[in-house]
């Protein structure tokens, strides 16, 4: 009996995955692992150069194929590969390569992995800048954190970034959304059809060992890629305000900050006398998280859901964050730590968790329950595969129903093809 051919998947990544450097890369790896469990044939391509913490995809059985921007060589590559599914990692990859996929493999299912809504994150960043410009010394951000979805829409709607990103979502057959809040925003305010959006949060294998106990831990911890603007803003807020308030109550407290790609501006903040230690990159993020007593994540803007807070739950480490940090992460569950809107409240709750053993143990237990109920890899992996198979089976109907997407693909193909041909001709002439 002839076995059916394995489903071919092409993933076009904005960068090569670095799961130990960012939650976004970790999510991509979780999706790839889900595909591998199905026995699917996977090729990963990216126009980016490999980073120093790049995952070894070949070791997992995934082909690695570098590609170039604005090059017709991609046409030959994808035509010969003939993928059944093309997964764009971040919307900029759909902008660059979507029209070529449309031309060479029109029946391939087009899927966009968003990580977070970048236009939402950038709009919130601008709002924070405006807020700080109006009053740099105010530390109660409750008004900033409680905006209704309509206000978020109005903040985003006139930006070029939102128009580009929403257009890319429409042009794809399915969009993997990590945040239920972003799904609600896209459906209710931007009017995207529900069929185009699939909730696919971080997918975690539950821990098999009991987490370390209160008495076996010490110090506060903060972790995150320093290149990510929300993380860098959180570091600055901790340095200027949150950490000094903690040290007023715990004069001997120590904060360890870990992050990939530590820039000189971050190492310049290192000050052991203040208990403020910039530790650079963590070889094993879960190991340092497991050794810490409290995780600090005072995020004043951002989008999506936060890998560092999932890691904290995995390690049984209570966390103190803001409504932005906790957004779309807990569902109906209580937060495993505290969610605060001001620097003083963040400091007070962090100190309470650090000193109150019973309160800390209760927070740890809440994190374990939340993790098991919302982030099981087996459950989300099953629903993801089922959704992809449904879309492939009903692709003609789905595309007919998504007329806006078909229209946008038509215009993208025409305009981008002519521009690409002009760029190639110019390059050849210069050679």
């Amino acid at each position: 009996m002839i076995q059916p051919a394995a489903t071919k998947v092409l993933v076009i990544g904005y960068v090569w995955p670095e799961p130990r450097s960012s939650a976004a890369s970790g999510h991509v790896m979780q999706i790839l692992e889900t595909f591998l469990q199905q026995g699917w044939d996977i090729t990963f391509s990216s126009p980016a150069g490999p980073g120093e913490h790049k995952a070894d995809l070949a070791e997992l059985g995934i082909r690695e194929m570098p590609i170039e921007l604005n090059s017709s060589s991609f046409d030959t590559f994808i035509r010969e590969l003939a993928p059944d599914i093309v997964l764009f990692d971040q919307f900029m990859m759909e902008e660059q390569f979507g029209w070529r996929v449309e031309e060479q493999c029109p029946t391939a299912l087009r899927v966009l992995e968003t990580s977070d809504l970048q236009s939402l994150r950038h709009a919130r960043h601008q709002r924070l800048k405006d807020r700080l410009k109006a009053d740099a010394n105010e530390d109660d951000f409750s008004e900033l954190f409680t905006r209704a979805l309509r206000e978020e829409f109005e903040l985003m709607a006139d930006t070029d970034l939102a128009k580009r990103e929403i257009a890319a979502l429409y042009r794809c057959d399915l969009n993997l959304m990590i945040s239920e809040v972003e799904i609600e925003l896209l459906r209710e305010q931007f009017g995207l059809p529900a069929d185009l959006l699939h909730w696919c949060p971080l997918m975690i294998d539950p821990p098999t060992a009991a987490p370390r106990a209160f008495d076996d831990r010490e110090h506060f911890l903060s972790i995150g890629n320093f290149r990510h603007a929300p993380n860098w803003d959180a570091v600055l807020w901790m340095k200027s305000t949150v950490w000094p308030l903690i040290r007023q109550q715990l004069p001997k407290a120590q904060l360890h900050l870990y992050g990939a790609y530590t820039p000189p501006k971050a190492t310049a903040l290192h000050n052991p006398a203040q208990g403020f230690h910039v530790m650079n990159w963590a070889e094993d993020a879960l190991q340092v998280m497991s050794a810490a007593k409290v995780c600090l994540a005072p995020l004043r803007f951002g989008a999506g859901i936060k890998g560092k807070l999932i890691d904290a739950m995995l390690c049984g480490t209570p966390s103190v964050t803001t409504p932005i940090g906790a957004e779309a992460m807990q569902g109906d569950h209580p937060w495993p730590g505290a969610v605060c809107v001001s620097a003083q409240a963040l400091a007070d709750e962090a100190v309470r968790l650090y000193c109150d053993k019973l309160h800390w143990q209760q927070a740890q237990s809440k994190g374990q329950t939340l993790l098991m109920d919302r982030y099981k890899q087996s459950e989300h992996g099953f629903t993801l595969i089922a959704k992809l198979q449904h879309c492939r089976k009903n692709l003609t109907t789905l595309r007919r129903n998504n007329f806006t997407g078909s229209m946008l693909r038509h215009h993208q193909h025409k305009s981008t093809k002519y521009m690409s041909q002009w760029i190639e001709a110019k390059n050849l002439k210069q050679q």
Side-chain angles (χ1 to χ4, degrees):
M1 181 176 179
I2 299 176
Q3 295 295 324
T7 298
K8 287 186 181 181
V9 181
L10 171 64
V11 182
I12 304 177
Y14 181 65
V15 296
W16 295 94
E18 295 189 10
R20 293 184 295 171
S21 299
S22 73
S25 281
H27 192 228
V28 170
M29 291 301 296
Q30 291 161 7
I31 293 171
L32 292 177
E33 289 166 6
T34 300
F35 293 167
L36 287 172
Q37 290 169 7
Q38 299 297 310
W40 290 1
D41 184 321
I42 307 172
T43 300
F44 194 103
S45 295
S46 177
E52 60 183 288
H53 307 307
K54 172 186 170 295
D56 189 348
L57 300 179
E59 187 179 12
L60 298 174
I62 299 172
R63 282 186 299 275
E64 299 182 359
M65 181 63 66
I67 50 178
E68 298 179 2
L69 295 173
N70 300 316
S71 173
S72 58
S73 62
F74 179 82
D75 297 345
T76 303
F77 158 64
I78 193 172
R79 185 170 59 250
E80 293 178 350
L81 181 64
D84 302 298
I85 300 173
V86 176
L87 175 68
F88 302 101
D89 172 32
Q90 302 194 30
F91 82 91
M92 296 85 75
M93 293 299 93
E94 190 282 333
E95 283 187 324
Q96 290 289 337
F97 296 99
W99 71 272
R100 293 188 184 275
V101 172
E102 175 77 5
E103 186 171 64
Q104 303 299 329
C105 302
T107 61
L109 183 71
R110 300 160 55 107
V111 184
L112 176 59
E113 199 284 306
T114 60
S115 292
D116 65 7
L117 274 181
Q118 295 189 36
S119 52
L120 174 61
R121 169 160 42 91
H122 282 261
R124 286 174 167 174
H125 193 184
Q126 185 58 52
R127 184 167 64 199
L128 174 63
K129 291 177 182 177
D130 294 341
R131 171 76 161 71
L132 293 175
K133 189 180 296 184
D135 187 352
N137 297 317
E138 177 60 51
D139 270 323
D140 184 345
F141 291 92
S142 54
E143 182 182 352
L144 201 70
F145 294 142
T146 56
R147 296 301 178 102
L149 290 181
R150 182 65 191 179
E151 292 177 271
E152 302 283 25
F153 167 77
E154 291 173 354
L155 196 66
M156 299 164 62
D158 293 333
T159 66
D160 289 341
L161 187 60
K163 292 169 184 175
R164 290 171 52 203
E165 188 168 29
I166 301 303
L169 295 175
Y170 266 112
R171 286 193 297 263
C172 288
D173 303 307
L174 187 67
N175 299 280
L176 307 185
M177 308 300 304
I178 206 166
S179 164
E180 292 164 307
V181 170
E182 293 176 4
I183 291 177
E184 185 179 358
L185 174 66
L186 290 171
R187 289 185 59 183
E188 295 187 1
Q189 303 301 324
F190 286 95
L192 266 79
D195 285 346
L196 293 182
L197 307 171
H198 177 73
W199 182 49
C200 183
L202 296 177
M203 299 181 284
I204 306 297
D205 288 322
T208 55
R212 290 174 67 169
F214 178 87
D215 294 329
D216 295 332
R217 299 169 180 251
E218 61 179 351
H219 306 322
F220 294 87
L221 174 138
S222 184
I223 192 167
N225 191 325
F226 287 113
R227 288 179 175 176
H228 192 50
N231 291 339
W232 177 240
D233 175 74
V235 169
L236 295 178
W237 196 27
M238 280 188 286
K239 176 68 173 179
S240 67
T241 310
V242 178
W243 184 243
L245 291 171
I246 292 175
R247 288 274 287 193
Q248 285 179 10
Q249 301 180 60
L250 297 175
K252 295 183 179 181
Q254 306 293 310
L255 170 62
H256 293 172
L257 293 104
Y258 292 89
Y261 301 105
T262 309
K265 64 182 181 180
T267 54
L269 300 178
H270 181 70
N271 192 325
Q274 297 175 353
F276 199 89
H277 303 269
V278 178
M279 309 294 288
N280 299 320
W281 187 65
E283 183 72 29
D284 187 335
L286 297 182
Q287 183 180 41
V288 297
M289 183 69 79
S290 295
K293 191 167 284 186
V294 176
C295 173
L296 299 180
L299 296 157
R300 293 191 288 189
F301 73 98
I305 62 178
K306 315 304 178 293
K308 61 176 69 64
L309 296 175
I310 291 289
D311 285 349
M313 296 179 213
L314 267 173
C315 298
T317 307
S319 58
V320 179
T321 188
T322 64
I324 290 292
E327 182 176 85
M329 291 197 66
Q330 65 192 103
D332 297 328
H333 294 271
W335 187 255
V339 179
C340 310
V341 298
S342 70
Q344 187 65 61
L346 286 161
D348 291 346
E349 290 297 333
V351 169
R352 184 187 175 199
L353 280 166
Y354 198 87
C355 298
D356 188 332
K357 183 175 181 178
L358 179 59
H359 183 53
W360 186 94
Q361 290 172 331
Q362 291 171 339
Q364 183 184 72
S365 178
K366 291 173 184 175
Q368 302 291 291
T369 302
L370 173 55
L371 196 66
M372 290 293 292
D373 285 355
R374 279 181 67 86
Y375 297 101
K376 277 186 183 177
Q377 180 157 11
S378 57
E379 294 181 3
H380 292 295
F382 176 82
T383 58
L384 172 59
I385 296 301
K387 184 67 174 181
L388 292 173
Q389 291 173 335
H390 169 80
C391 289
R392 287 190 64 199
K393 184 178 179 181
N394 299 280
L395 186 58
T396 300
T397 301
L398 291 172
R399 287 185 173 174
R400 185 181 299 120
N401 292 341
N402 179 23
F403 177 79
T404 300
S406 297
M407 178 178 62
L408 290 170
R409 282 199 303 274
H410 170 80
H411 287 289
Q412 180 201 47
H413 178 260
K414 294 295 185 185
S415 60
T416 313
K417 181 178 181 179
Y418 295 146
M419 178 60 71
S420 179
Q421 290 173 340
W422 179 82
I423 291 173
E424 286 193 69
K426 182 179 179 182
N427 291 337
L428 288 172
K429 186 176 181 180
Q430 290 176 345
Q431 292 173 6

